[in-house]
Amino acid sequence: MMFTSIFRASAAAARISQRRTLSTTCSQSLSRLNEILEDYRASHYAQELPKRFRKDIVNVASKGSASSQLISSSPGGIVSAAGIEQVLNNIGAGDQMSHDEIETMLREIGSDGANSGVDGGKDCVITADKMLDLLSMR
């Protein structure tokens, strides 16, 4: 199960960064996030489709992002490190990833120019669509 989750996360990272490769640290953080969420999905969302679970996670993360109310340029919403931390805390996994690790991951994933102007270069945010792509495991 762990190998499959890591493979899926690596595949998602490869789709996100078609223009460039992600660092090892970012790939490992992304794999860990996907593994945490997949473990939660398997035990609490077993009857739901994985796609529905991912959409629910992104929806909660974007609502928990303080920047999403301030920035209306992205129709799908904005996901910040605080939003991801809120999701992890809600599912009881808040201690499994550090704030710095989440920020580093978002900063690197969001630095490909696709969301330039979304955060003004200050916050670590990505679009909700990009977050959904990160969580897509197929």
Side-chain angles (χ1 to χ4, degrees):
M1 169 103 175
M2 180 190 248
F3 176 75
T4 304
S5 179
I6 292 172
F7 176 75
R8 290 179 190 168
S10 298
R15 283 194 307 271
I16 292 299
S17 62
Q18 292 176 356
R19 296 181 191 163
R20 62 181 183 85
T21 58
L22 297 175
S23 70
T24 303
T25 304
C26 183
S27 294
Q28 289 172 347
S29 296
L30 181 58
S31 295
R32 185 172 314 126
L33 177 63
N34 275 299
E35 185 178 317
I36 291 166
L37 294 175
E38 179 59 25
D39 288 345
Y40 182 80
R41 187 200 67 78
S43 62
H44 294 90
Y45 272 69
Q47 299 297 319
E48 292 287 332
L49 295 172
K51 187 174 182 179
R52 168 57 43 205
F53 172 73
R54 291 189 299 264
K55 285 182 178 181
D56 287 348
I57 292 294
V58 171
N59 187 27
V60 171
S62 69
K63 285 181 180 177
S65 299
S67 302
S68 64
Q69 288 82 25
L70 302 173
I71 303 168
S72 61
S73 64
S74 178
I78 299 295
V79 176
S80 70
I84 294 173
E85 281 183 326
Q86 180 181 351
V87 168
L88 292 175
N89 286 329
N90 288 349
I91 65 172
D95 61 337
Q96 294 185 26
M97 287 188 80
S98 70
H99 180 77
D100 291 338
E101 191 174 18
I102 295 169
E103 275 191 348
T104 302
M105 180 178 64
L106 291 180
R107 188 172 289 122
E108 185 170 336
I109 291 167
S111 68
D112 65 359
N115 69 341
S116 57
V118 169
D119 66 348
K122 296 178 185 175
D123 298 327
C124 300
V125 297
I126 58 174
T127 64
D129 291 337
K130 190 175 272 194
M131 180 69 183
L132 191 58
D133 286 344
L134 288 174
L135 299 180
S136 294
M137 298 180 192
R138 288 189 165 73

